[in-house]
Amino acid sequence: QVQFVESGGGLVQPGGSLRLSCAASGFTFGFSAIGWYRQAPGQQRELVATITSGRYTNYADSVKGRFTISRDNAKNTVYLQMNSLKLEDTAVYYCNTYYYATDYWGQGTQVTVSS
């Protein structure tokens, strides 16, 4: 079955950096678009970035110029490089794909930006 395992979250100061990883299995990863989403406490889950099978990328306006999504098809892994982190980036970050008419999500990884 489709599975995602996110990692790389943690506590970081404002202005710092983190790189999140999302290891995928159970589907044709190389042919699938993958997204990173996040959900802050009391907020709705929101799109952060997506990458298509052809490596086209899309970003939320709030992270443009600071975050970079990439993929390594040989490792079935998607990355999210997050630079210049802000307090408002604090959230649980999730991987997602839409496969055979079903949304699949990982368990998430917590990112906390705090001084």
Side-chain angles (χ1 to χ4, degrees), residues 39-100:
Q39 188 167 19
Q43 304 291 320
Q44 288 190 331
R45 194 169 295 189
E46 65 175 1
L47 175 68
V48 176
T50 58
I51 186 166
T52 69
S53 59
R55 301 180 189 274
Y56 289 100
T57 58
N58 182 57
Y59 298 92
D61 287 344
S62 59
V63 307
K64 280 180 181 176
R66 299 188 299 122
F67 290 11
T68 302
I69 190 171
S70 61
R71 64 191 298 158
D72 184 339
N73 289 343
K75 296 181 178 179
N76 279 15
T77 300
V78 173
Y79 303 98
L80 186 68
Q81 177 66 44
M82 306 187 296
N83 299 329
S84 303
L85 282 161
K86 303 177 180 181
L87 296 175
E88 53 264 39
D89 294 319
T90 295
V92 179
Y93 285 70
Y94 299 91
C95 273
N96 167 270
T97 195
Y98 187 72
Y99 186 68
Y100 278 90

Side-chain angles (χ1 to χ4, degrees), residues 12 33 36-37 57 61 82 104:
V12 63
W36 279 102
Y37 288 73
T57 58
D61 287 344
M82 306 187 296
Y104 292 94

